[in-house]
Amino acid sequence: MKQLKYIIPAILLFVGLASCENMDWLHKKYWQDPSITSAKIPEFKVYSGFERVMIDWYHPIDPISKKVRVEYGLGKDLESVTLSEDDVFNSIVDTVSYFVDLNTEMEYLHCQYMIENLDKYNTYNFTICTLDHNDYPSLKNQASAEVFSETMLGADFGNVDRPLFSVYDNAKTDAKLKGHRVVAKSLSGIINFFVRIDWVAKDAKGNEVASGYYDRREEPVKEDLEMSDYELDLSMSQSTCMEVSDSWVETEGFNNNDKYTFEYTYHFFPCVYKDKLANGFYYDKICIDVLKFTDTQSVKVEELGWQVENSDSHSISKDYWQFIEPPKEDPDVPFALFGIYWDGLEGVINEKRLNDDYPKEEYPHLYEKDFMPASYYMHPDPTKWQTYYYERMWDEAMPTDPDTGRETYMDSYWRAAEAEYPYSLFFDLGMDVMLNRIGMCFAREGLDGLAGPGIYELWVSDDDDPEDGILEGWEKIGTYSNIELKNVGYDDKYINGLTIRLFDDAEMALKTKRCRYVRIRVMKDYAGVNTSIPAISELFLYGIEGEELPPEEDEEIEGEDENI
């Protein structure tokens, strides 16, 4: 009985080994003579779609390899599909796309087939083999693929960034032009590569005012689009502004300051983000399917065009600008500015003397505990000295961006040594000016935790006796926001500057009082947080200066009536 106990497993093991040996022998014989069994598929790829995949293979041309079997799933949870001889014939892409194996002289045809309803997993493993007339399989080939799904894109594509519509008055950009133009910004995003957008603009009563579309190609987008139907450079998407109405052509029906609702249908390739470049995104993978959704957006007509200029306003000369620092040697000299911190250290200030001349009750802003950021060149590492000094904010240096080959401000910037909010920057413009706009360019996005001003105040002073400290005449002009920087194009971020009007005045006739000193007080960065390291590439101030200034009695003074 004990002998039988050991004999039975031995017999089973021998049979198993013999079967494996026979199978191995059969496949070895196949390589010597392919006519014995069905041939292995030499090349197998899987392209990801939305809850489906397209399998791509080269099928052997021989009298034995009749059918194809594909197994797919994850782990032990597997399903399979068997393609009949007719299915294989119908999957042939064309009779031209084939290759010949020089070793076996076997010819192969290019085939493709869709496997649908893959909504169970995000990643699937696939194996493929041919079958002979007895359904005996060939050696297998394998591949894996991530499938685009609702988990990634969100219900109703809620994770996909929406495009942003704007309507501009052409005449405000060029007096010779009429009508308006419709502009769509941020057409592509992290997980969406833009293809086409169709839009209808309606007024408050629901009446259609205008309509149009923008397609990446001249031909209309195709429904159920597949990769082979749409030849694009899928590695790059332009995320800068794109006009969806014909460039500089009248679009009738809009009125300035009115609100309109845009109903639009957005077509896009889902994709997997890899990197962010200067003027678009680089994707690791792009879906073979074009998807679409319908949405709405409310828009108010912007009277001003992209380039905000007028004959009575220009960029203020930077020839005499200086960054203001307080005295640090004589404790009897009143603090040059206000606040009690500078460079992260206690400022030199005689608070009693300051309070005698400028009572805290009347001048609360002189006692604000702002951080006065030191430049990064104060860093202990001497190799970094003079690299990010204050003057970088107005030196007009424009190194070439290696990603685009364009000259930009992004890699020439001032940065602070550390993050601390709120912080204040003080400038002596070297002459009297009257301002109506402020603009900024920013350091390269995502660089070393840097971020430019997001929520900030602008103050000006006309103190005529700076020797005892610039303490008089400070006036808060307003609070401004760059929080929407993520929706701003490459040129405005890094070349032209993101420009903001200081007053709600379309004609830009209103200006600050005559002033020489400027304070920018920053509460948050452009991401809306206060943890990043402050940085600015270039600062622009607009208005009039020098001999352009009117006599003091004729000045138009405008602010928030917060003269302190």
Side-chain angles (χ1 to χ4, degrees), residues 8 86 101 104 108 126 129 139 158 204 224 238 280 313 318 329 337 359 389 401 405 428 432 489 525 530 535 558:
I8 293 176
D86 288 339
D101 187 328
T104 63
Y108 299 84
F126 299 84
C129 63
L139 294 173
D224 195 23
Q238 300 296 319
S313 176
K318 304 177 183 180
E329 297 178 357
L337 301 165
Y389 47 88
D401 176 7
D428 178 356
D432 285 353
D525 68 16
N530 56 8
E558 188 73 19

Side-chain angles (χ1 to χ4, degrees), residues 411-424:
D411 292 323
S412 173
Y413 52 89
W414 163 79
R415 60 162 288 182
E418 56 185 310
E420 189 78 24
Y421 291 78
Y423 66 88
S424 285

Side-chain angles (χ1 to χ4, degrees), residues 329-367:
E329 297 178 357
D330 185 355
D332 292 328
V333 176
F335 199 37
L337 301 165
F338 42 83
I340 63 171
Y341 290 102
W342 186 277
D343 293 350
L345 304 174
E346 288 286 339
V348 178
I349 181 172
N350 186 326
E351 290 194 34
K352 182 179 183 305
R353 179 177 171 183
L354 179 64
N355 194 59
D356 288 344
D357 295 335
Y358 301 94
K360 188 173 183 179
E361 295 76 16
E362 298 179 35
Y363 298 87
H365 61 291
L366 298 185
Y367 299 84

Side-chain angles (χ1 to χ4, degrees), residues 133-179:
H133 59 282
N134 291 319
D135 288 346
Y136 189 84
S138 68
L139 294 173
K140 296 179 179 180
N141 205 332
Q142 61 185 10
S144 62
E146 294 183 8
V147 178
F148 293 91
S149 65
E150 185 178 279
T151 302
M152 171 188 177
L153 301 176
D156 299 322
F157 305 124
N159 295 340
V160 178
D161 290 338
R162 266 46 179 173
L164 298 173
F165 283 93
S166 296
V167 181
Y168 294 104
D169 182 351
N170 286 334
K172 294 298 180 179
T173 303
D174 187 336
K176 299 178 182 179
L177 297 176
K178 297 180 180 180

Side-chain angles (χ1 to χ4, degrees), residues 49 125 153 317 389 464:
N125 297 320
L153 301 176
S317 172
Y389 47 88
D464 58 1

Side-chain angles (χ1 to χ4, degrees), residues 236-261:
M236 176 64 70
S237 90
Q238 300 296 319
S239 61
T240 52
C241 301
M242 295 184 181
E243 297 198 22
V244 295
S245 60
D246 292 339
S247 181
W248 300 104
V249 173
E250 275 187 55
T251 301
E252 297 290 351
F254 292 101
N255 295 313
N256 289 350
N257 295 318
D258 284 354
K259 291 185 177 180
Y260 298 89
T261 298

Side-chain angles (χ1 to χ4, degrees), residues 297-325:
Q297 180 187 340
S298 296
V299 174
K300 183 178 179 180
V301 174
E302 296 286 341
E303 291 193 7
L304 299 175
W306 287 332
Q307 300 301 319
V308 184
E309 289 288 351
N310 71 4
S311 59
D312 190 33
S313 176
H314 57 81
S315 180
I316 298 297
S317 172
K318 304 177 183 180
D319 294 342
Y320 309 107
W321 288 18
Q322 293 183 23
F323 191 79
I324 305 173
E325 298 191 46

Side-chain angles (χ1 to χ4, degrees), residues 436-451:
N436 63 3
R437 286 172 292 144
I438 183 173
M440 297 180 191
C441 280
F442 304 90
R444 185 186 292 272
E445 191 171 355
L447 183 66
D448 296 335
L450 306 180

